Amino acid sequence: MWVYEKKLQYPAKVCKPDVKMAKYLIAQYGGPDGELAAALRYQTQRFVMPTGKAKAVLTDIATEELAHLEIIATLVFKLLKGVPVEILKREGLGEYYTEHDRGLFYADTTGMLWTAAYIQAKGDAIADLHEDMAAEEKARTTYEHLINLTDDPCVKDTLRFLREREIVHFQRFGETLVQVREYMESKKFF
Amino acid sequence: MYDYNPYVQDYAFPSLKLAQAYVPLQKYVSLYPPEEAIKKGTVFPELDMPYVGEKMR
């Protein structure tokens, strides 16, 4: 069960509309290493975590990834706001416009739809935590690519925040891995 | 004499085994003030690792 706040975790400002950047940013909405994949991955993996603390880490981070999903959606929405169809078409969003107009949909930058095949839940806490650490690193890299792709200082600022959160999450998953392994080993000798 | 760095963590693990990944457990050092923490994306100075590769893109 969730309690939510009607505000973003971090401001999502854009200095000016930018169709190309919106197209790239959607990668972090519905792409393989995006925020939706992250939130759903951790939220479903939490059930097999052997300790209450590990369950809490996964649920907490899944929740924060939903907050990041909201931030990405806001950025994309603002980058497309008021842009005429002619420009959407010219900048490569004609296909997207056909089915979604300027609405937000779970696809990556090439238009590939989000799929549960992007994530796993192995029923094994150690295997799942390794996936989670890899996911954070892949998301960090994606944010770095996105920072490289824009000159908009407002967008860069928000992306830098999101990138830093991936680093913090990696640390938390890493600590959880060490602690879960320790817990499981202690269970073998009682 | 050596330079004291308050952010250096104790990275020693009691028993490192092969074929296992380890991340050092974070120890409390200090906190950024709230306004600075939200800007940086972390309240912990030792986890503050900004992107520096942008100019080499």
Side-chain angles (χ1 to χ4, degrees):
Chain A
M1 164 123 188
W2 278 264
V3 175
Y4 80 99
E5 294 203 39
K6 290 185 183 176
K7 60 185 179 201
L8 293 178
Q9 184 195 17
Y10 191 85
K13 292 193 184 113
V14 312
C15 297
K16 57 170 174 33
D18 181 345
V19 177
K20 282 224 167 73
M21 196 55 199
K23 184 174 154 69
Y24 303 146
L25 260 182
I26 203 108
Q28 284 304 71
Y29 197 63
D33 307 314
E35 301 292 355
L36 181 70
L40 297 183
R41 176 189 293 116
Y42 309 149
Q43 182 51 35
T44 199
Q45 289 177 353
R46 76 175 288 285
F47 292 95
V48 300
M49 291 295 138
T51 67
K53 187 175 173 185
K55 280 187 173 75
V57 168
L58 268 76
T59 313
D60 282 358
I61 298 179
T63 303
E64 190 182 339
E65 305 294 12
L66 285 177
H68 297 170
L69 190 70
E70 226 184 346
I71 292 173
I72 295 293
T74 307
L75 287 175
V76 172
F77 184 76
K78 286 184 177 175
L79 287 168
L80 295 179
K81 205 172 176 187
V83 176
V85 175
E86 204 47 50
I87 296 176
L88 291 178
K89 201 169 135 188
R90 195 187 66 206
E91 302 290 313
L93 268 195
E95 293 82 356
Y96 189 90
Y97 174 82
T98 304
E99 288 182 297
H100 314 296
D101 195 332
R102 294 162 189 84
L104 270 295
F105 193 64
Y106 300 112
D108 76 0
T109 185
T110 67
M112 187 92 85
L113 301 185
W114 191 85
T115 163
Y118 288 154
I119 67 173
Q120 254 295 9
K122 294 302 285 185
D124 179 305
I126 301 294
D128 283 350
L129 286 165
H130 279 85
E131 181 190 348
D132 302 344
M133 291 161 73
E136 295 297 333
E137 286 297 313
K138 290 186 285 177
R140 175 191 55 77
T141 309
T142 308
Y143 279 123
E144 290 175 6
H145 296 164
L146 288 167
I147 290 166
N148 294 345
L149 282 165
T150 182
D151 293 320
D152 184 327
C154 307
V155 174
K156 271 186 202 284
D157 179 67
T158 304
L159 295 178
R160 284 198 189 99
F161 172 86
L162 294 169
R163 176 192 166 279
E164 173 60 31
R165 296 309 299 156
E166 310 296 350
I167 292 169
V168 176
H169 294 165
F170 181 92
Q171 175 64 26
R172 298 297 165 247
F173 284 132
E175 288 167 343
T176 305
L177 173 70
V178 170
Q179 289 166 346
V180 161
R181 200 161 46 209
E182 213 166 66
Y183 172 81
M184 288 166 75
E185 278 165 13
S186 77
K187 283 275 151 190
K188 284 187 208 153
F189 318 98
F190 45 72
Chain B
M1 278 299 287
Y2 57 91
D3 292 331
Y4 174 68
N5 181 343
Y7 302 134
V8 167
Q9 306 259 313
D10 177 8
Y11 289 163
F13 282 92
S15 53
L16 286 172
K17 288 183 186 160
L18 292 177
Q20 289 195 346
Y22 295 85
V23 168
L25 305 188
Q26 187 185 347
K27 286 183 182 150
Y28 177 79
V29 180
S30 64
L31 300 177
Y32 283 134
E35 320 78 59
E36 206 179 340
I38 189 73
K39 269 188 131 174
K40 290 180 181 292
T42 178
V43 76
F44 303 108
E46 63 275 29
L47 278 178
D48 181 14
M49 300 170 186
Y51 179 41
V52 291
E54 201 183 335
K55 288 177 189 78
M56 298 177 282
R57 67 184 181 176

